[in-house]
Amino acid sequence: QVQLVESGGGLVQAGASLRLSCAASGRTFSSYAMAWFRQAPGKEREFVAAISWTGGSLYYADSVKGRFTISRDNAKNTVYLQMNSLKPEDTAVYYCAARPRLQYDTMFYPQSYDYWGQGTQVTVSI
């Protein structure tokens, strides 16, 4: 069992940076692949980034590639999402998610993840 709690969201202007954190409880955090998704009002939840349990494999949505960086610290049971050069279209509730193993053909789909946090709001103004 893994419990996830996101933090770090807020209201920023376009071009600013934010770092989201996702703290996990449970002894097996280090064995889980982790991901960030986001959901804007009226839209489906979409994949943002994923990281393997070792941190050696990273994947990003095209819309955030080059601006966002996912990382993890297994000693702290925490995964991060560094977001730079934020745009108004990045406005959404951001969720972290966990699954036992990262598989390329399914990692983009929310239903393939077993555990979710409650989300943190990110709002980017013009």
Side-chain angles (χ1 to χ4, degrees):
Q1 192 80 4
V2 177
Q3 289 80 43
L4 305 173
V5 179
E6 303 95 334
S7 62
L11 171 62
V12 297
Q13 289 188 324
S17 298
L18 278 176
R19 189 176 81 155
L20 305 183
S21 299
C22 174
S25 62
R27 294 179 296 173
T28 58
F29 169 78
S30 61
S31 65
Y32 280 81
M34 301 295 296
W36 288 94
F37 284 76
R38 66 186 182 186
Q39 189 166 18
K43 294 188 176 181
E44 294 186 350
R45 194 166 297 190
E46 65 172 359
F47 173 84
V48 176
I51 186 168
S52 62
W53 69 274
T54 64
S57 296
L58 309 175
Y59 302 92
Y60 297 96
D62 288 342
S63 59
V64 306
K65 203 170 293 183
R67 299 188 298 122
F68 291 11
T69 302
I70 188 171
S71 62
R72 67 189 297 160
D73 185 338
N74 287 341
K76 296 183 178 180
N77 280 9
T78 303
V79 63
Y80 305 97
L81 186 68
Q82 178 66 44
M83 305 186 295
N84 299 330
S85 303
L86 282 162
K87 304 175 181 180
E89 50 264 44
D90 294 319
T91 295
V93 177
Y94 283 71
Y95 299 89
C96 67
R99 54 182 285 176
R101 192 162 60 95
L102 204 60
Q103 291 177 275
Y104 184 78
D105 59 340
T106 60
M107 67 177 178
F108 304 104
Y109 304 106
Q111 57 267 33
S112 72
Y113 289 80
D114 298 323
Y115 303 105
W116 290 86
Q118 83 291 346
T120 185
Q121 176 72 46
V122 172
T123 304
V124 184
S125 64
I126 297 173

